[in-house]
Amino acid sequence: LAKTTQPISMDSYEGQEVNITCSHNNIATNDYITWYQQFPSQGPRFIIQGYKTKVTNEVASLFIPADRKSSTLSLPRVSLSDTAVYYCLVGDQDNNAGNMLTFGGGTRLMVKP
Amino acid sequence: DTGVSQDPRHKITKRGQNVTFRCDPISEHNRLYWYRQTLGQGPEFLTYFQNEAQLEKSRLLSDRFSAERPKGSFSTLEIQRTEQGDSAMYLCASSSTPHRDGYTFGSGTRLTVV
């Protein structure tokens, strides 16, 4: 299973853009990169998923370089409600090799007024 | 469909008692997962079903834990002879095959063993 490394915590201010980078040096050919957001006492919530280059949705953007050994989650103009833990996961989404998604420790984002 | 439902939301039990949790996945999802999360840690994979078949079990899942998914619909997770170390949030998630929108998680069942 590809292991991920991401910062333990980050601070930001309302209205700023936040970029959280995740390292996954051992990513496999069939692996996708997925980011989840989790608030206290709730289950994780899917944010965005990608395989290569750039993916954008209404919530965030995901940048993946050509070697796919890292990825960056970009949150535009954060608000206080974006304060949460963000998890980067790498895995075969079709579970062809029984490769269950493995969560690391995540990045605790604190957005300040 | 209102998403993944878990019941109960909270459970307090005495050490040595048995507990059972229920998960109702999104109806069109054929894959169902159980995870466990302790305070300050990311969720840990416990087990996975595709339809009614249990295809994966983590080494973390001791023989006191058992999970079922009869008829490929809802699932139950039972813990026998609970220990204080079992205190955690138990999360259920579901997904479709193949899925491109990740897992949908429920809000979890918080277990406290006293």
Side-chain angles (χ1 to χ4, degrees):
Chain A
L1 298 178
K3 184 178 178 179
T4 60
T5 302
Q6 51 184 124
I8 294 174
S9 64
M10 294 181 68
D11 289 344
S12 183
Y13 290 93
E14 281 189 296
Q16 289 188 334
E17 178 184 76
V18 170
N19 295 309
I20 306 174
T21 297
C22 179
S23 297
H24 27 80
N25 292 318
N26 297 322
I27 189 168
T29 303
N30 293 333
D31 287 344
Y32 282 74
I33 300 154
T34 313
W35 286 80
Y36 286 82
Q37 175 192 57
Q38 187 176 28
F39 299 113
S41 298
Q42 293 186 25
R45 182 178 75 98
F46 172 85
I47 301 176
I48 197 166
Q49 179 175 279
Y51 184 81
K52 61 180 179 180
T53 63
K54 177 184 175 182
V55 180
T56 297
N57 61 23
E58 64 277 7
V59 177
S61 295
L62 178 60
F63 298 92
I64 305 169
D67 66 6
R68 303 202 325 126
K69 293 183 182 299
S70 67
S71 59
T72 299
L73 174 72
S74 181
L75 304 172
R77 299 180 299 281
V78 294
S79 64
L80 296 177
S81 62
D82 293 317
T83 294
V85 179
Y86 292 82
Y87 295 97
C88 164
L89 288 82
V90 171
D92 177 352
Q93 296 303 290
D94 293 330
N95 297 324
N96 290 328
N99 184 5
M100 298 303 112
L101 289 183
T102 300
F103 287 79
T107 297
R108 296 182 180 278
L109 174 64
M110 173 68 73
V111 179
K112 303 175 181 177
Chain B
D1 200 336
T2 56
V4 177
S5 299
Q6 292 190 245
D7 183 69
R9 288 296 310 275
H10 304 275
K11 178 71 176 179
I12 300 175
T13 191
K14 292 183 178 179
R15 189 175 52 187
Q17 297 293 305
N18 299 343
V19 294
T20 300
F21 310 140
R22 177 181 170 119
C23 172
D24 286 273
I26 292 175
S27 57
E28 58 266 30
H29 287 179
N30 62 345
R31 296 184 175 192
L32 186 146
Y33 312 83
W34 285 98
Y35 281 79
R36 179 175 66 187
Q37 185 174 28
T38 54
L39 198 61
Q41 304 297 315
E44 299 174 295
F45 168 75
L46 292 179
T47 191
Y48 152 61
F49 290 85
Q50 182 160 320
N51 299 312
E52 65 275 11
Q54 187 173 19
L55 299 185
E56 287 280 336
K57 287 177 66 173
S58 165
R59 290 187 296 272
L60 296 173
L61 215 63
S62 76
D63 56 7
R64 295 185 297 107
F65 288 71
S66 62
E68 294 183 341
R69 193 184 181 195
K71 303 178 182 178
S73 55
F74 71 92
S75 176
T76 58
L77 178 68
E78 181 183 17
I79 309 175
Q80 295 181 328
R81 304 181 303 282
T82 53
E83 303 172 355
Q84 286 189 321
D86 297 330
S87 295
M89 174 77 85
Y90 289 84
L91 294 162
C92 176
S94 67
S95 70
S96 57
T97 307
H99 61 91
R100 292 293 178 261
D101 296 315
Y103 298 175
T104 302
F105 280 85
S107 296
T109 294
R110 181 167 296 283
L111 173 66
T112 302
V113 182
V114 298

